[in-house]
């Protein structure tokens, strides 16, 4: 029974689920990362040199010791097995792992998996209870199943997302935050958990396939569906020509940006105009309804721009809330560190860095902790506080091999190879 002095444990709905992660960079490891966050035992199978995501900044020509928040978020709480799976001995180790696993997560391309003896049909035949999840750039089948692609290529560019988020007349931005990877990872997690639930009824696993391309298309399903029905979805107009001025960005007097999110202009316009002291605008026939506002968008936006320039955003925030104006600040990453709503809902977790484990950069951790964004689902309203950090390359190799039944002599031979 839980008492006032006994902390309530954080729910771990996937406790007991064993996951083998054969993945690198961000999308694939983020799948394993969410599963680990929810209680699964995730073994990260790495080549002896480690996942290249560990040294991403140096590979890009940036400071190699810069904080690597993406690696921490995608790999905290895992165990690392460093083994050469292209060798016969390495494949033998992988087979033993899969024999006791519930889930295999990989983002290797189809031909690479075939060369490793991991073609989906053959693998699920040998391990019938295994849920085998493949996350690739473009999916299995079709002319581009072997094409390499990060989220910038497949999720953003190929899917149409970049077209729909780039302001008319402006060049597409090379977004590097890995957001498409994270969306595709969570998509894969949904597929895996559904397959695990099905296995409870059937006793058999299933091949689960996801891709950056399909995830991007699904995220853009409204615009793509409109195009398929003969419509003409368009990218954003320049801010001062936005056809929906009540659903647009504005700058306060201190230079900080914010969004108005008044979708229902007829209902919300009086509140906004009262907030800025311009209720007289309601009598202007140009702005009598949503269609009129859209037609005279430039003039209406100019009215708002002039008003918003008179005060800093902190003052507008109080005014907006007092008048029930729907809005949101445009925040920088540093703003989110102290965002009271994010903190209250458990968005941040402290990742404890083992001095022998993988730190926020490419080398060992400092033994301290770093903040990291937790997986965006909370169970029973209970937030996690401190969690284990990412492992060093091969940190758990001996432990895992011993658990698989290898003798000390066999382990020594595998390590020396």
């Amino acid at each position: 029974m839980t008492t006032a002095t006994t902390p309530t444990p954080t729910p771990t709905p996937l406790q007991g689920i064993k996951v083998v992660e054969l993945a690198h960079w961000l999308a694939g490891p983020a799948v394993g990362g969410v599963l680990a966050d929810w209680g699964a035992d995730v073994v990260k199978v790495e080549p002896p040199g480690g996942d290249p995501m560990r040294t991403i900044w140096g590979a890009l020509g940036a400071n190699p010791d810069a904080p690597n928040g993406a690696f921490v978020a995608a790999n905290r709480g895992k165990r690392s097995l460093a083994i050469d799976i292209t060798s016969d001995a390495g494949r033998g180790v992988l087979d033993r792992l899969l024999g006791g696993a519930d889930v295999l997560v990989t983002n290797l391309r189809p031909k690479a998996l075939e060369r490793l003896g991991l073609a989906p049909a053959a693998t699920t035949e040998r391990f019938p209870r295994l849920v085998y999840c493949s996350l690739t750039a473009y999916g299995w089948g079709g002319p581009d199943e072997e094409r390499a692609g990060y989220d910038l290529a497949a999720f953003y560019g190929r899917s149409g997302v970049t077209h729909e988020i780039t302001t008319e007349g402006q060049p597409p931005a090379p977004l590097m935050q890995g957001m498409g990877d994270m969306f595709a990872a969570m998509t894969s997690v949904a597929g895996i958990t559904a397959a695990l639930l099905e296995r409870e009824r059937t006793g058999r696993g299933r091949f689960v396939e996801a891709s950056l391309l399909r995830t991007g298309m699904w995220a853009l399903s409204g615009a793509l569906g409109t195009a398929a029905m003969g419509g003409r979805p368009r990218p954003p107009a320049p801010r001062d020509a936005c056809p929906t001025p009540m659903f647009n960005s504005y700058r306060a007097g201190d230079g900080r940006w914010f969004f108005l999110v008044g979708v229902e202009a007829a209902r919300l316009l009086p509140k906004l105009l009262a907030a800025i002291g311009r209720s007289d605008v309601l009598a202007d026939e140009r702005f009598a309804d949503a269609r009129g506002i859209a037609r005279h968008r430039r003039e209406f936006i100019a009215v708002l721009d002039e008003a918003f320039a008179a005060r800093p955003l902190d003052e507008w925030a109080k005014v907006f809330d007092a008048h029930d104006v729907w809005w949101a600040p445009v925040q920088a990453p540093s703003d989110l560190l102290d965002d009271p709503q994010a903190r209250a809902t458990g968005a941040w977790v402290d990742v404890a860095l083992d001095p022998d484990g993988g730190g926020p950069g490419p080398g060992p951790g400092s033994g301290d902790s770093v903040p990291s964004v937790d997986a965006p689902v909370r169970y029973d309203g209970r937030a996690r506080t401190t969690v284990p950090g990412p492992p060093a390359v091969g940190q758990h190799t001996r432990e895992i091999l011993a658990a698989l039944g290898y003798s000390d002599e066999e382990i020594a031979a595998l390590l020396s190879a």
Side-chain angles (χ1 to χ4, degrees), residues 131 288 336 356 405:
V131 173
L336 271 298
D356 298 320

Side-chain angles (χ1 to χ4, degrees), residues 18-39:
K18 296 180 179 180
V19 180
V20 175
E21 177 194 296
L22 186 60
H24 52 291
W25 296 116
L26 185 54
V31 178
V34 174
L35 299 176
D37 284 344
W38 294 348

Side-chain angles (χ1 to χ4, degrees), residues 82-84 87 89-90 93 397 401 406 409-417:
I83 200 81
D84 178 12
S87 68
V93 172
T397 299
L401 292 176
Y406 286 93
E409 293 76 13
E410 288 172 323
I411 292 173
L414 283 167
L415 294 177
S416 65

Side-chain angles (χ1 to χ4, degrees), residues 72-312:
V72 171
N75 291 282
R76 59 192 174 220
K78 298 178 184 178
R79 297 190 291 160
S80 173
L81 168 67
I83 200 81
D84 178 12
I85 61 170
T86 65
S87 68
D88 291 341
R91 283 195 294 272
V93 172
L94 187 59
D95 272 1
R96 288 200 195 186
L97 265 178
L98 293 176
D102 298 288
V103 178
L104 169 64
V105 175
T106 183
N107 61 355
L108 299 182
R109 285 178 272 175
K111 286 185 179 177
L113 292 169
E114 290 178 8
R115 288 194 297 270
L116 293 170
L118 292 173
T123 303
T124 53
E125 186 64 30
R126 282 190 297 143
F127 308 107
R129 286 184 55 81
L130 184 69
V131 173
Y132 183 144
C133 177
S134 168
L135 171 54
T136 61
Y138 297 103
W140 288 67
D144 292 322
E145 74 169 8
E146 287 295 323
R147 183 182 294 275
Y150 296 96
D151 73 336
L152 182 64
F155 177 88
Y156 284 110
R158 186 75 174 266
S159 72
V161 168
T162 291
H163 181 271
E164 290 300 298
I165 65 173
T166 301
T167 301
E168 289 178 351
Q170 297 298 310
L175 301 173
M176 296 181 63
Q177 298 86 351
M179 290 185 291
D181 289 327
M182 302 305 276
F183 293 149
M186 191 59 80
T187 300
S188 301
V189 169
I192 289 168
T193 52
L196 287 171
L197 179 62
E198 181 189 44
R199 193 184 68 175
E200 292 296 304
R201 300 193 305 271
T202 67
R204 291 191 65 88
R206 186 179 289 280
F207 179 56
V208 177
E209 177 196 347
S211 70
L212 290 164
L213 173 64
R214 287 283 308 277
T215 303
M217 292 180 65
W218 185 77
L220 201 64
S221 57
L224 295 179
T226 297
M229 292 186 286
R232 296 175 58 194
R234 296 179 178 179
R239 192 198 70 83
D240 61 354
C242 176
T244 54
M246 293 280 290
F247 202 80
N248 194 19
S249 61
Y250 294 91
R251 185 161 54 185
D254 57 358
R256 295 169 63 191
W257 288 90
F258 63 94
F259 284 116
L260 290 180
V261 288
V263 176
E264 300 173 276
R267 182 164 70 92
L268 300 175
L269 179 60
K271 297 179 179 181
L272 172 63
L273 294 177
I276 65 174
R278 290 300 309 272
S279 295
D280 59 292
V281 173
L282 290 171
D284 192 321
E285 62 181 15
R286 294 175 299 171
F287 312 131
D289 53 30
R291 185 172 291 276
I293 292 174
R295 185 178 299 115
H296 300 284
R297 65 193 74 166
R298 291 185 183 274
E299 299 96 311
F300 190 82
I301 291 171
V303 169
L304 298 184
D305 281 342
E306 181 181 8
F308 294 140
R311 298 188 185 189

